[in-house]
Amino acid sequence: MVSWVPPGRIPLSFDGQACLFRSLVADRHEANLVARLADAYHATGDHAAAREAWRRALPILENLGNLLGPSCGFPDIHQIRAKLHQHRPT
């Protein structure tokens, strides 16, 4: 079976697709973990650590959103941006 390939792109082999899938899954899990960790830091009052974790999660989520679209089951990029804005240092 041949999967859909955007115009101008070379189709990946099965092994290439499997490797890409594993990488995307790992990134998604990392983003979820870091975003939840940030929320836990925030809930315990460690706002500096929360901001650092949200900053770490944001580029991962942006990359996933660009690759997969905005509704693939990972934390909302807009919510994390809002948390960073709301809890910025004074």
Side-chain angles (χ1 to χ4, degrees), residues 1 11-20 22:
M1 173 167 68
L12 293 175
S13 67
F14 176 79
D15 288 338
Q17 290 181 18
C19 182
L20 177 61
R22 283 191 300 273

Side-chain angles (χ1 to χ4, degrees), residues 28 32 60-79 81:
R28 179 177 173 229
N32 277 323
I60 300 168
L61 294 169
E62 288 171 335
N63 186 47
L64 288 170
N66 289 337
L67 291 171
L68 303 175
S71 60
C72 289
F74 39 84
D76 184 11
I77 294 170
H78 302 294
Q79 288 177 352
R81 283 188 184 127

Side-chain angles (χ1 to χ4, degrees), residues 34-88:
V34 174
R36 289 175 190 253
L37 182 62
D39 291 340
Y41 282 139
H42 182 261
T44 61
D46 192 345
H47 302 291
R51 280 191 306 276
E52 182 59 33
W54 284 321
R55 276 197 287 270
R56 182 175 169 195
L58 192 58
I60 300 168
L61 294 169
E62 288 171 335
N63 186 47
L64 288 170
N66 289 337
L67 291 171
L68 303 175
S71 60
C72 289
F74 39 84
D76 184 11
I77 294 170
H78 302 294
Q79 288 177 352
I80 291 180
R81 283 188 184 127
K83 289 175 184 180
L84 281 168
H85 180 75
Q86 180 182 4
H87 300 290
R88 66 181 181 260

